[in-house]
Amino acid sequence: MTLALPVPPVLDELPTWLQPRIPDLFSPLKTPCRLCCIMQKGGTSKTTTTVCLACELALMGFKVRIWDLDPQEGSATSWMPPQTGVSGTPRNLLHMFKGEASPDEVTYPTAVPNLYIVPSYTSLKQAEVDSEIVGVEQGVAWGIENSTETFDVEIADCGPSLGKLTVAGMIACPELIIPLKASGLDMRSMTSLNRTIELTKRVQPKLNRRAVLLAEVLKTNLTRAMFDLMCRDFPEALVMGVRSSTAAREAPLPHILKPLHEYAPEATVRLDYQFLGAALVERRAA
């Protein structure tokens, strides 16, 4: 089965070998569904993928919640800050892990309609090291199950490590999206990630590599070799390239923390995220 890409600009046609590879038995997920954006190495476009995909799904009419599991500056919370109406750091994911707030109390709307976030800050690092914070690995799953609000799509955005927080994301959100770049370092990181996925299947047997994305693709021999390798190693997954866009790269400084659909609505990279959203989540009947 082949799904058609949105038509790209004439000067940016994808070569045949870089067209999305969709397995014969692949089908979009029915809602409610849970996705986890994960990769051990930093700089592979995990947060970009999470935020851009979440925005496109929200624009499609789905109610979406991001769980920010990355205790770094520049995480999803920085890009999609919670709209609290008050100054200061709001109650966040760490408070939920510590039993000081409910899932509803740490879920906030963002500036994008239908898109919500459970924010985190650098203080979330405590969840990895503080022995008094118990049950972190099951915490996000507990949070989803104990929310009074329901969401069509839950997306966990994991940091560049394979610790408790990443395992929490995989247990709660077993449909995995794996972004990487065409480099030897990213390939080495995949080995460690695959090992962690197999170990985590002991407690979450539903883990599934749903999509593998080559981020910021260039039409090079290395990209082609990586794409072919991903198709071979992950026969069950959607494999696709996400293009690098001049419109996105050259946005004025005040725009870089705005959603892609606001500051570069015609960018080719946006077409790729629209395609990804349509391929991953089944649209409701009209």
Side-chain angles (χ1 to χ4, degrees):
M1 178 181 69
T2 301
L3 296 183
L5 270 171
V7 178
V10 173
L11 296 179
D12 199 52
E13 294 284 359
L14 287 173
T16 302
W17 57 266
L18 198 50
Q19 295 288 332
R21 192 289 309 269
I22 302 180
D24 289 340
L25 299 180
F26 187 95
S27 61
L29 296 165
K30 297 182 182 297
T31 57
C33 62
R34 304 179 185 183
L35 306 170
C36 180
C37 196
I38 179 174
M39 181 59 183
Q40 177 187 0
K41 182 178 172 293
T44 63
S45 296
K46 289 184 299 296
T47 296
T48 298
T49 299
T50 295
V51 172
C52 291
L53 174 61
C55 286
E56 294 303 338
L57 289 171
L59 293 171
M60 290 165 61
F62 295 109
K63 187 177 180 182
V64 183
R65 175 164 60 178
I66 295 172
W67 292 80
D68 188 353
L69 293 165
D70 187 355
Q72 298 186 107
E73 297 288 353
S75 64
T77 300
S78 299
W79 202 347
M80 287 285 110
Q83 304 294 292
T84 64
V86 297
S87 61
T89 301
R91 285 192 288 184
N92 52 72
L93 183 56
L94 180 61
H95 293 91
M96 192 196 79
F97 281 147
K98 294 169 71 173
E100 298 172 356
S102 71
D104 293 334
E105 290 172 325
V106 298
T107 297
Y108 302 92
T110 70
V112 178
N114 296 325
L115 179 56
Y116 297 76
I117 192 167
V118 176
S120 70
Y121 303 89
T122 55
S123 58
L124 184 63
K125 295 174 184 176
Q126 295 177 39
E128 292 279 10
V129 299
D130 191 338
S131 60
E132 294 186 2
I133 304 177
V134 298
V136 170
E137 293 92 336
Q138 301 288 343
V140 177
W142 177 88
I144 293 173
E145 296 298 332
N146 287 275
S147 296
T148 58
E149 283 193 79
T150 58
F151 293 85
D152 299 312
V153 185
E154 307 269 9
I155 307 180
D157 182 34
C158 299
S161 68
L162 298 177
K164 294 179 183 178
L165 294 169
T166 293
V167 172
M170 289 194 290
I171 289 175
C173 302
E175 296 290 343
L176 306 181
I177 302 171
I178 304 172
L180 69 159
K181 292 183 179 178
S183 77
L185 291 177
D186 285 52
M187 284 304 302
R188 287 188 178 184
S189 297
M190 281 294 297
T191 301
S192 297
L193 175 60
N194 285 331
R195 186 182 307 115
T196 300
I197 290 172
E198 293 308 311
L199 289 173
T200 306
K201 281 184 177 180
R202 296 175 181 178
V203 292
Q204 176 49 285
K206 294 182 180 179
L207 277 180
N208 177 47
R209 296 168 181 85
R210 170 65 50 172
V212 180
L213 313 179
L214 274 178
E216 299 181 13
V217 292
L218 301 173
K219 300 167 189 175
T220 65
N221 290 335
L222 177 59
T223 299
R224 183 167 190 168
M226 288 279 288
F227 192 88
D228 290 344
L229 187 63
M230 295 300 97
C231 290
R232 185 198 72 191
D233 288 353
F234 304 105
E236 76 282 13
L238 163 67
V239 179
M240 65 176 286
V242 177
R243 288 167 284 183
S244 181
S245 170
T246 300
R249 287 197 311 269
E250 297 183 355
L253 184 61
H255 292 178
I256 60 175
L257 287 180
K258 291 184 177 181
L260 179 64
H261 66 272
E262 288 188 10
Y263 75 82
E266 305 300 325
T268 53
V269 65
R270 188 185 173 204
L271 298 179
D272 295 332
Y273 287 119
Q274 288 174 326
F275 175 88
L276 179 63
L280 289 178
V281 183
E282 183 178 284
R283 286 184 178 270
R284 299 187 186 92

